[in-house]
Amino acid sequence: MSIDKTSAPVDGEHEVVNPDAAHDAVTAVDPRLLVREQGIAGYVSEFKRKLHAGDLGSIPVVIGLVIICAIFQSLNSQFLSAQNLSNIAVTMVATGMMAVGIIFVLLLGEIDLSVGSVSGVSGAIVAVLTVTHGMNEWLAVVVALASGAAIGAVHGFFFARIGAPAFAVTLAGLLFWLGFMLQLLGDQGTINLDGEGVVGKLTTYYFSDVAAAYGLAAVAVAVFFLTSYFDNRRREAVGIPSRPVSDIVFRTVLLAVVSFAAAFMFNQYKGLPLALVLFLAVLVITDFVLRRTPYGRKIFALGGSVEASRRAGINVTAVRVSVFALAGFFAAVGGLFWASKIAAANQSAGAGDLLMNVIAAAVIGGTSLFGGRGRTWNALLGVMVIVSIQYGLALEGIATPIQYMITGGVLLATVVIDSVTRKTQKTAGRA
């Protein structure tokens, strides 16, 4: 906590304060906050400042995504077709859900290597309970999700309470839960799920009524405008710099263009995918938790400095365990979407390049590997890049090994940019 030295007593006597200095102390405002009042011109100057400081946020990812789409569309006119984009939207949800959990862990500056195996376990639990033992599918889903959270909490306990490195604990978890999944599935190795069941419909159900997509777009735009407007009113009430109404309108119009364009595209195929609706809901809720709740601020604080957080009274152990529990929960959610995608639980679930794609989605989207910087919306951007590359290369008939190499190259480039950004921010005095 900082102290205003212009009014602090010195050696038992009250220091005489210069009125002009006191006035300056009251009116001095962080230049970055003035961007809200300066409108478009303020954003231009802010962009220049961030460029020099090496803090461009998600801008490089958005530009990269546009370039990727332009390249693949030029190679194959089907890439931006409604069917292909709808398939991309549904496919990316499983990886995206898992990436949300990984983002929480990365914000602590840690890593969880077990999410792939945990996702496989959740699919296996649902399959065994519903198909083999005849349990109600909704109850089986609850058991699978609770199991994922419990598994993550166990990992968090060994890391936060016992003091074992998260890398080693979750690597052990990767192997253990992989074996556990294989044991659950038994000799057959594959258990087919009911395509019309709860899990089956996660990736196959579409809101075919055109009003659904347009209605969701309208609600999103209206909520964004109202929350921005009333947030401004609260800021003005306490004298904090706020966005001009013209800026809010511009941002709202931009969101409306993107939202209604997406709605139009979905309605050209099967309609609005249920999977995407659930993913967007998760992103909104988790973003609110991270940015608007004390729990979220504690996570960011731990990512900045564990010792400082401990001295500030934060229960470091509890927060760490809860974060790994969240990672396990979202890994289980992703596992259900993967099981829905193939309508089965099998021995290959959670294997292959899934773990790499999950971590890559979080990092490519803009979450720092070093902790303390990121948003759950980064999962959306990152997974769009990953899945777009995969679909684009598949349309061109590129072999899987080449797909791996290209995706790995993109991930390496992102990590390098993240490292360079941190060095630049340290030079600029912002880290």
Side-chain angles (χ1 to χ4, degrees):
M1 178 177 178
S2 61
I3 300 176
D4 186 354
K5 295 183 180 180
T6 61
S7 59
V10 180
D11 295 331
E13 298 181 356
H14 291 285
E15 184 179 14
V16 178
V17 180
N18 186 314
D20 294 333
H23 175 73
D24 292 339
V26 173
T27 57
V29 179
D30 187 338
R32 291 172 291 181
L33 296 179
L34 295 177
V35 172
R36 294 177 179 270
E37 294 183 332
Q38 295 171 354
I40 303 302
Y43 280 105
V44 174
S45 62
E46 175 71 353
F47 177 79
K48 293 179 180 178
R49 183 192 66 78
K50 286 185 174 183
L51 184 63
H52 289 296
D55 181 18
L56 293 180
S58 299
I59 294 177
V61 187
V62 175
I63 295 175
L65 185 60
V66 171
I67 294 174
I68 289 170
C69 292
I71 291 175
F72 285 126
Q73 177 65 15
S74 66
L75 295 174
N76 191 315
S77 60
Q78 293 301 309
F79 182 78
L80 292 181
S81 66
Q83 179 178 351
N84 193 57
L85 291 179
S86 181
N87 290 338
I88 288 175
V90 173
T91 301
M92 73 182 188
V93 171
T95 303
M97 287 288 193
M98 298 171 67
V100 170
I102 282 291
I103 285 174
F104 276 83
V105 176
L106 290 178
L107 287 175
L108 295 181
E110 302 296 338
I111 193 66
D112 187 344
L113 302 178
S114 68
V115 291
S117 296
V118 175
S119 70
V121 168
S122 71
I125 287 176
V126 169
V128 170
L129 291 180
T130 57
V131 178
T132 305
H133 298 287
M135 179 182 286
N136 176 271
E137 193 170 5
W138 279 106
L139 181 57
V141 168
V142 172
V143 172
L145 296 180
S147 298
I151 290 171
V154 170
H155 296 162
F157 172 81
F158 282 105
F159 162 62
R161 190 70 177 178
I162 306 302
F167 177 91
V169 171
T170 56
L171 179 59
L174 181 155
L175 298 173
F176 181 88
W177 299 115
L178 175 60
F180 181 74
M181 178 193 70
L182 298 178
Q183 185 68 28
L184 280 178
L185 293 176
D187 296 334
Q188 290 184 340
T190 299
I191 301 178
N192 294 324
L193 297 172
D194 179 9
E196 295 299 317
V198 176
V199 174
K201 287 186 176 181
L202 286 176
T203 56
T204 60
Y205 186 82
Y206 292 79
F207 298 96
S208 57
D209 192 330
V210 296
Y214 289 127
L216 180 61
V219 169
V221 172
V223 169
F224 175 81
F225 176 79
L226 291 175
T227 53
S228 299
Y229 177 76
F230 286 111
D231 182 60
N232 264 23
R233 293 290 297 272
R234 287 192 296 269
R235 287 176 172 273
E236 292 172 355
V238 295
I240 300 177
S242 58
R243 304 182 191 278
V245 176
S246 60
D247 179 55
I248 297 178
V249 171
F250 173 77
R251 292 159 66 90
T252 303
V253 170
L254 185 62
L255 175 62
V257 170
V258 174
S259 300
F260 281 96
F264 175 79
M265 180 273 297
F266 286 125
N267 284 333
Q268 300 307 300
Y269 185 48
K270 294 182 178 180
L272 181 65
L274 171 64
L276 183 62
V277 174
L278 295 176
F279 186 35
L280 293 177
V282 165
L283 292 177
V284 171
I285 294 171
T286 53
D287 182 68
F288 177 83
V289 169
L290 278 178
R291 298 196 302 118
R292 301 288 185 177
T293 66
Y295 176 70
R297 289 190 284 272
K298 290 176 183 178
I299 293 176
F300 280 108
L302 279 176
S305 173
V306 175
E307 185 58 33
S309 299
R310 184 178 287 109
R311 293 183 180 183
I314 295 175
N315 189 332
V316 175
T317 299
V319 173
R320 282 175 160 176
V321 171
S322 67
V323 165
F324 276 87
L326 280 174
F329 173 82
F330 283 111
V333 173
L336 296 183
F337 277 91
W338 279 120
S340 174
K341 187 70 176 175
I342 62 175
N346 59 33
Q347 294 179 338
S348 64
D353 61 343
L354 178 59
L355 174 62
M356 182 201 73
N357 287 339
V358 170
I359 297 175
V363 176
I364 290 173
T367 304
S368 176
L369 282 170
F370 303 96
R373 191 181 81 238
R375 295 179 60 181
T376 51
W377 285 100
N378 296 147
L380 176 61
L381 289 173
V383 77
M384 286 175 67
V385 170
I386 294 292
V387 179
S388 295
I389 291 174
Q390 292 175 342
Y391 268 70
L393 294 175
L395 284 175
E396 293 304 303
I398 305 298
T400 300
I402 304 300
Q403 295 184 31
Y404 285 168
M405 289 189 285
I406 292 177
T407 305
V410 172
L411 176 58
L412 176 61
T414 305
V415 173
V416 170
I417 291 173
D418 185 31
S419 300
V420 173
T421 296
R422 282 181 59 84
K423 291 181 180 179
T424 306
Q425 289 177 343
K426 286 181 178 180
T427 303
R430 297 190 58 216

